[in-house]
Amino acid sequence: METAVRIDRRVMKTKRAIHKAFLELYGEKDFEHITINDIADRAEVNRGTVYHHYLDKFDLLDQIIHGHLSKLAEYCTLHEGESEQTLPAGELKPVFDYFEANYPFFSTLLANRSSSMFRERLTEFVSAQLRKKLAAGDRPSDIDQELNAQFMASSFVGIVEWWIQRRMPRPPQYMAEQVSRLLAKNT
């Protein structure tokens, strides 16, 4: 049992090194110019080790994004059964706290010119959460729920991008309160 834990720790340490190397490279050059050799050299692992864990650099990027969106989902406290359609600041603060705690990751992905994949995944994630929230609401609306969710998700991602690219000039609590008010106006 102890051996399995030790192996898992080594695998986790290797994956962290690969992720860190990839994100450093992603911050330095366009995605198209990053090679598996670059990643392996930066992470100080063999090229085969990278391929052992990931199919290619696209799979690596996808898994990194998926991992952060999964963690972000844990921070979201959207409850399907609630009748309230808006997102109170209390539900948004942990989200902004997560962005703040993972600033290097988000700033790197949002600063890179080829980060449209990340923006699309983040927008879809936020849109899905908002659709659940809007569907649970008890207020009738003459606005299509899908369009409303897309509008609010795009706005939210745009605000997050603005906040991160400007090195978080306002604290998470302030951002949560302001975004909550903005979203409330659109429900």
Side-chain angles (χ1 to χ4, degrees), residues 87-102:
L87 293 169
E91 288 185 13
L92 287 173
K93 185 175 181 313
V95 174
F96 280 98
D97 287 339
Y98 185 80
F99 285 130
E100 182 182 51
N102 294 280

Side-chain angles (χ1 to χ4, degrees), residues 14 17-19 21-22 25 34-51 60:
T14 299
I18 292 169
H19 287 196
F22 174 77
L25 289 164
I34 297 172
T35 67
I36 293 296
N37 283 339
D38 294 336
I39 298 165
D41 289 346
R42 181 75 59 102
E44 297 182 354
V45 298
N46 292 323
R47 178 185 154 119
T49 301
V50 177
Y51 281 118
L60 172 58

Side-chain angles (χ1 to χ4, degrees), residues 92 95-96 99 126 152-161 179 183:
L92 287 173
V95 174
F96 280 98
F99 285 130
V126 172
M152 290 191 294
S154 296
S155 299
F156 179 79
V157 170
I159 288 170
V160 167
E161 187 173 10
V179 170
L183 292 175

Side-chain angles (χ1 to χ4, degrees), residues 113-127:
R113 286 181 280 146
S114 59
S115 62
S116 63
M117 180 175 141
F118 174 67
R119 278 187 200 93
E120 289 171 16
R121 294 271 305 271
L122 182 59
T123 302
E124 181 51 40
F125 168 77
V126 172
S127 178

Side-chain angles (χ1 to χ4, degrees), residues 22 38 40-42 52 60 76 82 91 93 104-105 107-109 125 130 134 139 152 156 158 165 173 181-182 187:
F22 174 77
D38 294 336
D41 289 346
R42 181 75 59 102
H52 176 73
L60 172 58
C76 292
E82 293 182 359
E91 288 185 13
K93 185 175 181 313
F105 168 76
S107 65
T108 298
L109 280 184
F125 168 77
L130 287 167
L134 291 170
R139 288 185 266 168
M152 290 191 294
F156 179 79
Q165 287 179 342
Q173 180 65 42
R181 289 180 188 148
L182 287 168
T187 56

Side-chain angles (χ1 to χ4, degrees), residues 54-72:
Y54 308 98
L55 298 173
D56 52 27
K57 66 182 182 179
F58 298 96
D59 183 44
L60 172 58
L61 177 59
D62 186 56
Q63 286 192 39
I64 290 172
I65 291 170
H66 177 75
H68 273 281
L69 291 180
S70 295
K71 289 176 189 172
L72 184 57

Side-chain angles (χ1 to χ4, degrees), residues 20-31 33-34 38 42 108-109 111-113:
K20 183 177 184 277
F22 174 77
L23 289 173
E24 286 173 0
L25 289 164
Y26 197 79
E28 295 170 11
K29 54 186 172 178
D30 287 337
F31 179 74
H33 296 109
I34 297 172
D38 294 336
R42 181 75 59 102
T108 298
L109 280 184
N112 192 299
R113 286 181 280 146

Side-chain angles (χ1 to χ4, degrees), residues 5-7 12-13 31 34 53 62 89 124 172 177 181:
V5 172
R6 200 173 303 131
I7 292 170
M12 288 172 45
K13 184 177 177 183
F31 179 74
I34 297 172
H53 296 290
D62 186 56
E124 181 51 40
E177 289 168 358
R181 289 180 188 148

